[in-house]
Amino acid sequence: MSQIHDILKTYWGYSEFRPLQEDIIQSALNQKDCLALLPTGGGKSLCFQVPAMAMDGICIVITPLIALMQDQVDQLTQRGISAVAIYSGMSKRQIDILLDNCIYGQIKFLYISPERLKTELLIERAKLMKISLLVVDEAHCISQWGYDFRPAYLEIQNFKNLFPAVPCMALTASATSEVKKDILANLQLKNPAVFQKSFSRANLSYSVLWEENKDVKLVQMIQKVGGSSIVYARNRRKTQEIAKMLLDKGVKANFYHAGLTTEERTKRQKDWIENQIQCIVATNAFGMGIDKSDVRLVVHIDLPDSMEAYYQEAGRAGRDEKKAFGVILIEENDLLELKAQWQKSYPTADIIKRTYQSISNFLQIAEGSGELSTYDFDWQEMCRRFQLPASETFYALKTLESEGLLLMSEAMQNPSKIKIKVSATELYDFQIRNEKFETFIKFLLRHYGGNLYTQFISISEVNISQLIKMPLADVERILNLLAKFEILEYEKQSGLPKLTLLTPRANTENLPIIWSEYLKKKERSQGKIKAIETYVRAKNTCRNCLITAYFGESDQANCGICDLCIQRKKESSGKAYP
């Protein structure tokens, strides 16, 4: 036990664990399977990262989000811990080298998406690895009762069964009783220990405010509460509009969404974490894996899709256990928009089939081929060429992804990468013979290190240009020349999203989708919309009690600090509620 405390202090700088963390860590060290349900901010990552550091071998972490993989790999790397990730859009050559390093190198953490688990390349290489721990993050994705079901999660048990002696840890921040049962059953955990922290957050005050002028109320709240804040909006355009409005009102704010470049996202996230800006206005992916405990206010300017999503997003406030606020600003039209959005999110079978056929024709994929192949994919050009309605096609693509047929990845998630092909001696000889490249090559080695010889390293041509004070066009020209001379491999970032076909191209009339299950999924999703409506329309029940009851805890006392509890107190004391 002293070892894990030493690891915690050495790498994370903490002197003690949070509640349940030590028990979960001990379970892994005792080679036991476990399921851990910790609310947002409960420190899930440490529960597997600490024991993996204490164990001999590599920890494989299965997670559904590329952004989350990259954030965690970056955080571990900054702490001096060797971690890598495999995600869609990487070339076979990149993956090949990375997996070799996992076998023969000193890599401690390998992050992968569930879709990768059934590939022969990964399975055969994993058999050569010394795996210490298998981690299933966001484990609620394994359940069709969950709010973010991923069919590929059902394949995890097949991979897990290849390594029966390796302990498995499943983690999630939000799971109803049905989802919890599904996780245990579908992962086939052996005599698992189950750790569950209450979903109640004693320091977090929930409120629902019906407002016609949301902008005015938002500015008032941010200025009154003070400290760091997050505002969640449904789309990219709205994040920009709200951020501009806040700036005009004197609030230091910026927006964040997936359409920004990697450099822009990193800079804005860093500015917010370091309190250079007070408020970040973002789409709902923001916040995953971000370690910031002093957020005082989380505001939803648009309604979330489910209670699970709301609990996770609002729960990013007050991780330091100090008073914080989770607020929904709402007007009647928001509920109508949420229901309309839900309807669009479940296209008809005809639209889904037509979209799949168009993809096959657009990318020229023959029936029975294309499995695990990745393509540059301009879906808007496909819509133009085949006269498809953009909105319906977008949701059909998302449906095909959720059904496990394909995987979409935005270009910003695939930065340019380089790897030196020659030995150090050969590189030195090249520099002697080609002095004009010497300064540039020395910069690459100094800035990116010796790992350039063994693995692909992500680079930013813009960043190199700024640091070396060279025009961007010259940076790209030199990289292309060095690749032409076979000194290094240069994989330039594509400007297009990537599409990975996860199954062989099917006959359109016989898509591997069980339509009766698809309709049940639609009905379950409608139930989640109704739960959100019940929450925002509530007038008498404590907000915290509504949330915890949704997750199966029906014995919670009133929190005393939500808007409805405060209203009752004021009414009972004869004071008017402001």
Side-chain angles (χ1 to χ4, degrees):
M1 294 307 290
S2 63
Q3 185 186 6
I4 64 171
H5 280 272
D6 289 344
I7 289 169
L8 183 70
K9 184 68 176 174
T10 301
Y11 291 98
W12 284 272
Y14 301 135
S15 55
E16 58 185 43
F17 290 101
R18 291 180 182 178
L20 287 185
Q21 282 183 329
E22 204 161 344
D23 297 325
I24 297 166
I25 289 167
Q26 191 60 55
S27 176
L29 294 174
N30 290 339
Q31 302 291 296
K32 278 185 66 71
D33 287 354
C34 76
L35 167 62
L37 292 94
L38 296 177
T40 298
K44 296 190 301 298
S45 298
L46 281 179
C47 292
F48 65 83
Q49 289 170 347
V50 170
M53 290 297 291
M55 299 161 87
D56 188 22
I58 188 169
C59 172
I60 296 181
V61 186
I62 302 159
T63 186
L65 297 169
I66 292 175
L68 186 57
M69 287 186 202
Q70 292 175 327
D71 282 340
Q72 293 222 352
V73 167
D74 288 346
Q75 286 181 29
L76 288 167
T77 303
Q78 288 166 14
R79 298 182 193 281
I81 299 169
S82 185
V84 293
I86 296 176
Y87 44 84
S88 60
M90 293 175 72
S91 68
K92 289 181 180 178
R93 169 92 173 127
Q94 284 177 261
I95 295 170
D96 199 44
I97 291 170
L98 187 149
L99 290 174
D100 270 352
N101 288 336
C102 289
I103 298 168
Y104 304 112
Q106 298 299 314
I107 307 293
K108 287 301 293 182
F109 294 92
L110 168 62
Y111 284 78
I112 52 173
S113 67
E115 287 79 10
R116 292 281 164 189
L117 296 179
K118 60 183 179 182
T119 65
E120 185 177 349
L121 176 63
L122 180 70
I123 289 170
E124 292 308 312
R125 296 299 182 84
K127 289 176 181 177
L128 300 174
M129 296 177 197
K130 186 170 186 178
I131 305 171
S132 60
L133 182 63
L134 183 65
V135 176
V136 183
D137 202 8
E138 307 295 336
H140 58 269
C141 294
I142 205 168
S143 173
Q144 296 195 47
W145 293 98
Y147 73 102
D148 196 18
F149 174 61
R150 288 276 286 265
Y153 263 69
L154 296 172
E155 308 274 349
I156 293 175
Q157 60 172 291
N158 297 329
F159 181 82
K160 174 180 167 289
N161 290 341
L162 296 173
F163 309 97
V166 175
C168 180
M169 181 186 294
L171 298 152
T172 181
S174 53
T176 61
S177 54
E178 292 103 330
V179 172
K180 190 163 66 171
K181 289 174 187 172
D182 262 7
I183 294 170
L184 294 170
N186 291 334
L187 279 179
Q188 297 180 359
L189 298 180
K190 295 175 293 189
N191 301 316
V194 178
F195 303 95
Q196 181 168 349
K197 191 176 178 183
S198 172
F199 287 92
S200 181
R201 294 281 304 278
N203 66 311
L204 186 52
S205 170
Y206 297 103
S207 295
V208 176
L209 305 179
W210 292 78
E211 296 284 341
E212 288 186 10
N213 194 332
K214 294 184 183 182
D215 288 358
V216 170
K217 191 65 179 178
L218 179 62
V219 173
Q220 288 175 351
M221 284 191 300
I222 291 172
Q223 291 176 337
K224 183 177 180 181
V225 172
S228 191
S229 57
I230 307 173
V231 176
Y232 283 110
R234 185 170 294 280
N235 60 54
R236 298 176 184 184
R237 175 185 52 79
K238 203 164 182 180
T239 64
Q240 297 177 43
E241 291 172 353
I242 295 168
K244 184 179 183 304
M245 181 275 296
L246 291 173
L247 282 168
D248 291 343
K249 298 296 183 183
V251 177
K252 285 187 177 180
N254 211 335
F255 63 89
Y256 181 109
H257 57 61
L260 298 170
T261 64
T262 303
E263 288 80 11
E264 286 173 323
R265 288 189 306 123
T266 302
K267 169 127 186 11
R268 293 178 191 200
Q269 182 175 299
K270 184 172 182 285
D271 286 347
W272 178 73
I273 288 172
E274 295 177 354
N275 296 318
Q276 299 299 311
I277 57 172
Q278 180 182 4
C279 179
I280 194 89
V281 187
T283 48
N284 62 3
F286 180 78
M288 291 277 188
I290 293 175
D291 186 15
K292 184 170 173 63
S293 64
D294 62 347
V295 179
R296 301 271 65 85
L297 174 67
V298 172
V299 180
H300 281 75
I301 209 99
D302 292 312
L303 285 173
D305 297 328
S306 66
M307 290 301 293
E308 290 96 333
Y310 180 64
Y311 178 75
Q312 287 211 24
E313 290 157 17
R316 288 169 190 146
R319 294 184 179 187
D320 56 5
E321 305 296 328
K322 296 177 183 176
K323 184 71 176 287
F325 301 87
V327 181
I328 294 176
L329 292 179
I330 185 173
E331 53 185 325
E332 197 64 45
N333 194 51
D334 292 338
L335 284 164
L336 297 176
E337 285 185 8
L338 183 63
K339 291 170 184 176
Q341 184 76 21
W342 165 78
Q343 191 69 46
K344 283 196 296 185
S345 298
Y346 288 89
T348 64
D350 285 344
I351 291 170
I352 294 168
K353 289 177 181 178
R354 184 183 175 192
T355 300
Y356 188 84
Q357 182 65 48
S358 298
I359 293 168
S360 304
N361 293 342
F362 183 65
L363 298 176
Q364 299 183 323
I365 306 171
E367 200 169 301
S369 67
E371 183 178 18
L372 294 176
S373 295
T374 297
Y375 307 85
D376 284 341
F377 180 56
D378 188 342
W379 72 274
Q380 291 175 318
E381 171 60 20
M382 180 187 76
C383 290
R384 187 194 64 76
R385 190 180 301 177
F386 294 99
Q387 298 183 320
L388 302 173
S391 180
E392 288 181 355
T393 302
F394 173 79
Y395 287 108
L397 283 166
K398 299 299 285 183
T399 301
L400 290 166
E401 185 174 40
S402 70
E403 291 293 324
L405 275 72
L406 54 84
L407 197 62
M408 291 284 292
S409 170
E410 297 206 40
M412 63 92 185
Q413 294 167 329
N414 295 293
S416 297
K417 299 176 181 69
I418 58 172
K419 176 185 175 293
I420 293 173
K421 293 181 71 173
V422 297
S423 69
T425 303
E426 290 169 318
L427 185 61
Y428 177 76
D429 289 342
F430 177 83
Q431 291 177 76
I432 296 296
R433 287 183 280 107
N434 300 272
E435 289 183 9
K436 61 184 178 180
F437 293 110
E438 185 179 7
T439 302
F440 189 86
I441 291 170
K442 283 183 176 177
F443 167 82
L444 293 179
L445 289 168
R446 187 170 63 251
H447 192 68
Y448 296 106
N451 285 339
L452 279 170
Y453 286 101
T454 59
Q455 64 191 62
F456 280 91
I457 301 295
S458 298
I459 64 164
S460 162
E461 291 90 334
V462 172
N463 194 30
I464 292 172
S465 169
Q466 291 169 344
L467 291 172
I468 206 169
K469 294 182 170 51
M470 177 185 288
L472 176 61
D474 287 352
V475 170
E476 293 178 341
R477 181 178 58 81
I478 291 173
L479 285 168
N480 281 315
L481 281 171
L482 290 172
K484 186 177 180 180
F485 295 146
E486 296 192 334
I487 297 301
L488 55 76
E489 293 181 63
Y490 175 38
E491 295 187 1
K492 185 170 173 52
Q493 179 184 34
S494 164
L496 296 173
K498 301 281 188 182
L499 181 146
T500 302
L501 207 63
L502 298 176
T503 61
R505 183 243 160 135
N507 178 285
T508 305
E509 289 306 312
N510 296 301
L511 287 183
I513 296 175
I514 302 172
W515 296 107
S516 59
E517 288 298 321
Y518 176 68
L519 291 175
K520 286 179 186 176
K521 184 179 174 182
K522 182 177 179 180
E523 289 172 11
R524 286 196 292 269
S525 177
Q526 186 177 31
K528 294 182 184 301
I529 301 293
K530 289 178 179 175
I532 282 286
E533 183 169 12
T534 298
Y535 177 79
V536 298
R537 290 199 186 280
K539 293 181 178 177
N540 301 308
T541 309
C542 163
R543 301 270 182 215
N544 188 60
C545 288
L546 283 167
I547 290 172
T548 54
Y550 180 84
F551 291 111
E553 294 179 29
S554 56
D555 56 349
Q556 292 291 321
N558 289 344
C559 71
I561 59 171
C562 72
D563 59 337
L564 297 180
C565 283
I566 291 171
Q567 183 177 352
R568 274 198 305 273
K569 285 180 187 176
K570 293 192 174 184
E571 287 173 350
S572 64
S573 66
K575 296 178 182 177
Y577 186 64

